[in-house]
Amino acid sequence: MNRKTILIIVGVLAVVCLCIAGVGIIALNRAGKVISESASTDPVKIAQTASQIADYTLPQGYKEAFAMSFLNITMAGFTNESQGMTIFLFQMPAEAGLSSEQMREQMQQAIEAQTGKRYNLEYVGSQNVTIRGQATELLTYEGTTDQGEAVRQMMGLFDGKNGTAWLMIIGKPNAWDQAGVDAFIRSLR
């Protein structure tokens, strides 16, 4: 091949790469827009989204904080800002076929994306509770965030309205609202 042919081929490849990159940027931008539009901080929409997972009654001091429903993945969060507590309900589609560990990792990634914090946690114990008439083991972890804040996390799987659901509660160990946690768990139906 002569130099002119090589330059033409390189030029065509460069144009093709730029086109592919442009399409990729447009696709990512649209995907980001769809995801952001699927998120809500409207208490009515949050309650509607959460009720797809389970019916519940919020304990005193808690309020609907955010919800997201995208590609059959549903998540809702409730906060008690004075206690520094957040309760999450999360449900993946049954056909996703994820193990409990994979679901925990997905939930952890979603929470880290939502809060902007990474958690360094160690298992400290478990307790058995009943959620929606089913025996459920809640695992408790404690540790710190990547900013050095002490944190406790409690989590467990249960049968939601549309498949396996995940309950996760995060708060500060020195301000842990066990009464609120217990009331929320008892209210899940």
Side-chain angles (χ1 to χ4, degrees):
M1 267 190 241
N2 64 31
R3 180 177 155 99
K4 185 176 180 181
T5 305
I6 292 172
L7 287 176
I8 291 172
I9 292 172
V10 169
V12 169
L13 288 175
V15 169
V16 169
C17 288
L18 286 173
C19 289
I20 291 171
V23 169
I25 290 170
I26 291 169
L28 285 174
N29 186 8
R30 289 190 182 183
K33 186 176 180 181
V34 168
I35 291 170
S36 70
E37 289 173 356
S38 70
S40 178
T41 56
D42 175 16
V44 172
K45 288 182 181 178
I46 296 166
Q48 289 170 343
T49 299
S51 72
Q52 294 173 26
I53 301 169
D55 294 320
Y56 62 93
T57 302
L58 287 178
Q60 185 173 347
Y62 287 79
K63 66 179 184 176
E64 284 90 358
F66 60 88
M68 183 187 84
S69 187
F70 181 71
L71 298 175
N72 292 330
I73 299 168
T74 306
M75 183 169 95
F78 315 98
T79 60
N80 180 330
E81 292 175 4
S82 67
Q83 296 290 117
M85 299 282 292
T86 304
I87 298 172
F88 297 91
L89 290 176
F90 182 79
Q91 189 163 276
M92 297 282 289
E95 60 272 8
L98 297 177
S99 70
S100 61
E101 183 59 28
Q102 289 169 321
M103 281 190 75
R104 186 186 76 72
E105 288 173 12
Q106 291 291 321
M107 182 75 163
Q108 191 69 45
Q109 289 171 3
I111 290 168
E112 288 174 0
Q114 183 75 27
T115 64
K117 296 179 182 178
R118 288 200 160 301
Y119 297 90
N120 306 303
L121 302 171
E122 293 184 22
Y123 173 79
V124 296
S126 67
Q127 72 181 70
N128 293 313
V129 298
T130 301
I131 298 178
R132 293 180 46 106
Q134 177 189 12
T136 301
E137 181 181 28
L138 295 179
L139 307 176
T140 302
Y141 297 83
E142 289 188 358
T144 59
T145 67
D146 56 352
Q147 290 118 8
E149 302 166 332
V151 66
R152 177 180 295 157
Q153 185 179 81
M154 183 180 284
M155 63 180 74
L157 294 172
F158 67 95
D159 288 336
K161 289 182 175 180
N162 296 303
T164 302
W166 191 274
L167 169 67
M168 183 182 286
I169 304 159
I170 298 175
K172 299 173 184 175
N174 62 352
W176 188 260
D177 179 20
Q178 190 63 48
V181 168
D182 293 341
F184 184 77
I185 291 169
R186 280 191 308 273
S187 81
L188 289 168
R189 54 198 185 285

